[in-house]
Amino acid sequence: MQEKRNVQIIEWDDLDKKKFYCIGVLMTLSLRLTVYPAALIRTRLQVQKGKSYYHGTFDAFIKILRAEGIRGLYRGFLVNTLTLISGQGYITTYELVRVYVANYSNSNAVKSLVAGGAASLVAQSIIVPIDIISQHLMVAGHKGNLGRFKLSSNDRKYKQAFGQTQEVVTQIFRLDGPKGFYRGYLASLMTYIPNSAIWWPFYHFYAEQLSKLVPNECPHLVLQGIAGPLAAATASTLTNPMDVVRARVQVGGRSSIIGTFKHLLREEGPLGLTKGLSARILSSAPTTLLLVIGYETLKKISLRRELMESRHW
């Protein structure tokens, strides 16, 4: 028996795939451009020792802006745009796995949890090398040299946009070989698979609960726009300790997840596991709001022509 829900879900078979992918890439690129500075700040907060330089999210924002300008908030962005590939892989996997799991269970929570975890596995396999390079570029402008590499300074835009990327790639390969581009892969899986698997069920759960508290006339998009950030805050809080460890493994050059975890606890105590949490929530809340509104709107726009008149979402 199909699970009854107040907030209807547009499923994969309802979509015009060509329209869905073409519009989706443009929307994703716009979203990444908007939220990238918050991701950069989060990374710098997570990899620094204690509060040696930045004393919080706002302090980091001001110091980066003063020392490096607007361009400093977008270090590594060009490389990061390659994650558009992983984004498409993520959402395609999510939707296809939902369809597959539906053959065995009509529970939306089960479909969302399994599909969210599987989608993250595929996406992380693509994104980790890009993420490692991007994170090293994120910390490259910091005077305290938060990363493992000291990059040459040059004010030319071409050098900063492309030359430092080449330096990072060369130094990673020289120090660690090909496996260096998958440093922290396990830590990434341990962070993002649970995060994704937690987010989707909570997203649908919050939307459904909110629908019971508001008039029937309330647009579903409003409920989904509120549910997304709530789910993101929940998932971010639960997975932040592993996210801190992941960042230190990838940027700090550590190889042991357990060793990094113990070292963090020994030096900074339990509070060290909350490093970057406020920046993560601050970045994930608006990111998720835009993502949810964009994604649900994209699905509505991409409905197959024959369904547009007969279905009301």
Side-chain angles (χ1 to χ4, degrees), residues 54 232 252 297:
Y54 301 123
T297 300

Side-chain angles (χ1 to χ4, degrees), residues 85-204:
I85 300 171
S86 68
Q88 297 306 307
Y90 176 92
I91 205 60
T92 301
T93 303
Y94 175 77
E95 294 291 352
L96 291 178
V97 172
R98 274 184 66 91
V99 173
Y100 178 77
V101 176
N103 295 322
Y104 302 94
S105 173
N106 286 321
S107 169
N108 186 63
V110 172
K111 289 189 287 186
S112 299
L113 188 147
V114 176
S120 188
L121 173 61
V122 171
Q124 287 305 308
S125 297
I126 301 171
I127 202 176
V128 165
I130 301 169
D131 210 20
I132 287 175
I133 297 169
S134 178
Q135 285 180 330
H136 278 293
L137 291 170
M138 283 179 178
V139 302
H142 185 270
K143 294 180 180 179
N145 189 37
L146 293 175
R148 290 190 292 162
F149 309 135
K150 290 184 179 181
L151 305 181
S152 60
S153 57
N154 193 310
D155 291 333
R156 288 183 300 157
K157 290 183 180 179
Y158 177 84
K159 178 66 177 178
Q160 291 196 345
F162 302 103
Q164 289 190 339
T165 302
Q166 183 179 349
E167 283 189 66
V168 168
V169 171
T170 300
Q171 292 191 53
I172 290 174
F173 189 81
R174 184 184 300 133
L175 285 177
D176 302 322
K179 67 178 182 180
F181 295 99
Y182 273 89
R183 179 179 289 278
Y185 176 63
L186 181 59
S188 290
L189 295 183
M190 292 174 66
T191 301
Y192 291 114
I193 288 180
N195 189 83
S196 180
I198 290 170
W199 186 87
W200 284 102
F202 270 105
Y203 165 58
H204 291 303

Side-chain angles (χ1 to χ4, degrees), residues 39 54 62 100 133 221 273 276 292:
Y54 301 123
I62 295 298
Y100 178 77
I133 297 169
L221 192 60
L273 299 175
V292 166

Side-chain angles (χ1 to χ4, degrees), residues 238-252:
L238 293 174
T239 62
N240 196 71
M242 197 61 227
D243 193 39
V244 177
V245 173
R246 175 199 59 81
R248 296 209 170 190
V249 168
Q250 290 183 334
V251 180

